[in-house]
C-alpha cells in the first residue's frame, strides 16, 4: 500500500536522521567530502522547502514548488556524478574550475556594464577577470546539464522533470493556467481550482528523486542498517513512484 505524502515525508526525515548519524556518512573520503555534503544538504533543504509549499496556507502554493523540484533534480544529477565518478581526484578540481568559471562570467558582465560600478565590484573584476590569463575551463558535463544527464544516465528525470518544468522557472505566460480559471470567454486570475493530477505528479516526482538518492547513498556508503530499512519499505510499501 502506497504511503500518503505525509507518511512518506515523515519516513524520509527519519532516514535522513539515520543517515546523518551513521559513522559511514560522517567519514566520507576527505577528497570529496565538501562537495558530497554540499549535495546532500542541498537535496534535503530543497525537499523540506518543497514539502512546505505542498502544504502551504495559500491557494495552489504547490505551483511555487515546481522551480524547486527542478533544482532538486539538477542537484540529484550532480550527486550521482559525485558518487559514481571512479577517479575521485577529478571531482574537487572540476568543481573548483566550475566555481572559477561562474565568477569569471559574473566579473566579465560587470566589466561590460562599465559604468556606476561599486569599488567592491571593480575589485571583483580585477581578481576574477582581468588577472585571469586563461578562461577557466571545467569539464563540459559540469557546465552543461544535458551532458551531465547523459554521463549519469538520468535522461528520464531530465525529460520528465527538469525539461518539462523549465517554463515555470523562466517566465512563460503559458503557465498562467495554474493561476486562475477560464470563465466562458474570460480568464480570471486568482479564482483558482486545484489541479489534483498535477499535485499527484509533483509529489511522486519529488518522492521518487528522494527514493533514488537514498538508494544511491546507502549503496555507496554501504550502510547495512539503513539498507535493511530501505529494502523493507521498498518491498512492502511502494514500487509505484514515478522513477
Amino acid at each position: 500500500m502506497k504511503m500518503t505524502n505525509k507518511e512518506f515525508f515523515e519516513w524520509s526525515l527519519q532516514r535522513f536522521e539515520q543517515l546523518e548519524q551513521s559513522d559511514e556518512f560522517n567519514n566520507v573520503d576527505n577528497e570529496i567530502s565538501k562537495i558530497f555534503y554540499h549535495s546532500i544538504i542541498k537535496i534535503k533543504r530543497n525537499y523540506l522547502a518543497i514539502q512546505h509549499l505542498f502544504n502551504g496556507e495559500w491557494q495552489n502554493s504547490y505551483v511555487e514548488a515546481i522551480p524547486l523540484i527542478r533544482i532538486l533534480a539538477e542537484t540529484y544529477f550532480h550527486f550521482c556524478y559525485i558518487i559514481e565518478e571512479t577517479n575521485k581526484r577529478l571531482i574537487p578540481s572540476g568543481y573548483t574550475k566550475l566555481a572559477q568559471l561562474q565568477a569569471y562570467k559574473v566579473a566579465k558582465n560587470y566589466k561590460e556594464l562599465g559604468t556606476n560600478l561599486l569599488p567592491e565590484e571593480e575589485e571583483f573584476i580585477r581578481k576574477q577577470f582581468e588577472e585571469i590569463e586563461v578562461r577557466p575551463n571545467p569539464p563540459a558535463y559540469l557546465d552543461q546539464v544535458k551532458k551531465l544527464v547523459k554521463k549519469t544516465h538520468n535522461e528520464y528525470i531530465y525529460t520528465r522533470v527538469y525539461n518539462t518544468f523549465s517554463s515555470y522557472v523562466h517566465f512563460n505566460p503559458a503557465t498562467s493556467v495554474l493561476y486562475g480559471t477560464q470563465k466562458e470567454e474570460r480568464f480570471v486570475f486568482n479564482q483558482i481550482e486545484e489541479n489534483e493530477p498535477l499535485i499527484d505528479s509533483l509529489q511522486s516526482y519529488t518522492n521518487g528523486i528522494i527514493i533514488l538518492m537514498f538508494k544511491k547513498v546507502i549503496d555507496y556508503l554501504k550502510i547495512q542498517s539503513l539498507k535493511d530499512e530501505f529494502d523493507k519499505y521498498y518491498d512492502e510499501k511502494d514500487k509505484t513512484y514515478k522513477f
Side-chain angles (χ1 to χ4, degrees):
M1 180 179 177
K2 184 175 178 178
M3 288 186 185
T4 65
N5 194 57
K6 181 179 179 182
E7 289 171 339
F8 182 83
F9 179 58
E10 292 171 351
W11 179 89
S12 298
L13 291 186
Q14 292 170 359
R15 302 294 79 75
F16 270 114
E17 184 176 356
Q18 279 184 274
L19 175 65
E20 292 163 4
Q21 291 177 354
S22 70
D23 291 338
E24 294 88 344
F25 180 82
N26 288 289
N27 289 283
V28 170
D29 184 350
N30 280 337
E31 197 161 32
I32 66 164
S33 60
K34 183 177 180 180
I35 193 67
F36 174 86
Y37 292 130
H38 172 65
S39 66
I40 290 287
I41 193 62
K42 188 167 183 177
I43 286 173
K44 181 180 178 181
R45 289 177 65 88
N46 266 273
Y47 180 52
L48 292 171
I50 290 164
Q51 292 302 317
H52 180 73
L53 288 167
F54 280 159
N55 298 293
E57 295 179 359
W58 69 96
Q59 270 191 309
N60 285 32
S61 58
Y62 64 89
V63 176
E64 311 317 322
I66 293 175
L68 292 181
I69 296 171
R70 190 174 183 266
I71 292 172
L72 182 69
E74 183 174 356
T75 307
Y76 174 73
F77 303 152
H78 283 277
F79 170 75
C80 289
Y81 164 68
I82 292 162
I83 66 173
E84 291 170 5
E85 174 59 65
T86 55
N87 185 351
K88 297 303 183 190
R89 289 179 296 176
L90 293 177
I91 296 172
S93 63
Y95 280 107
T96 295
K97 289 178 182 177
L98 180 64
Q100 291 170 343
L101 175 61
Q102 290 168 342
Y104 176 91
K105 289 178 178 178
V106 171
K108 182 174 183 290
N109 288 335
Y110 276 145
K111 178 77 171 178
E112 291 172 353
L113 184 63
T115 57
N116 300 320
L117 294 173
L118 299 172
E120 56 266 33
E121 292 170 342
E122 293 177 344
E123 178 66 9
F124 187 77
I125 291 171
R126 185 182 66 78
K127 287 184 176 180
Q128 305 297 337
F129 180 68
E130 294 178 343
E131 292 184 358
I132 303 295
E133 294 183 4
V134 180
R135 183 180 185 273
N137 187 31
Y141 52 80
L142 293 184
D143 189 36
Q144 300 173 39
V145 171
K146 201 163 185 178
K147 291 188 176 181
L148 180 62
V149 165
K150 187 173 182 179
K151 184 176 179 64
T152 57
H153 308 291
N154 280 300
E155 288 86 354
Y156 185 87
I157 299 176
Y158 175 80
T159 300
R160 296 299 297 272
V161 179
Y162 186 89
N163 191 49
T164 299
F165 294 145
S166 292
S167 58
Y168 292 88
V169 175
H170 309 294
F171 184 77
N172 185 340
T175 64
S176 64
V177 295
L178 295 182
Y179 294 99
T181 304
Q182 189 72 36
K183 299 290 186 182
E184 296 179 352
E185 295 182 358
R186 189 165 67 97
F187 186 82
V188 181
F189 281 102
N190 272 340
Q191 289 188 13
I192 298 171
E193 298 174 0
E194 286 198 345
N195 185 328
E196 292 294 340
L198 177 61
I199 296 172
D200 182 63
S201 288
L202 294 176
Q203 291 179 334
S204 290
Y205 288 138
T206 301
N207 295 347
I209 291 172
I210 295 300
I211 288 172
L212 290 177
M213 184 280 298
F214 276 128
K215 188 174 188 309
K216 284 187 175 291
V217 73
I218 291 166
D219 289 344
Y220 174 65
L221 295 177
K222 296 180 173 61
I223 308 175
Q224 189 60 47
S225 59
L226 253 175
K227 186 177 187 307
D228 292 342
E229 182 65 36
F230 181 87
D231 288 346
K232 178 182 176 183
Y233 156 74
Y234 196 65
D235 288 340
E236 295 180 4
K237 287 288 185 181
D238 187 29
K239 289 188 177 180
T240 64
Y241 284 116
K242 302 258 181 214
F243 310 128

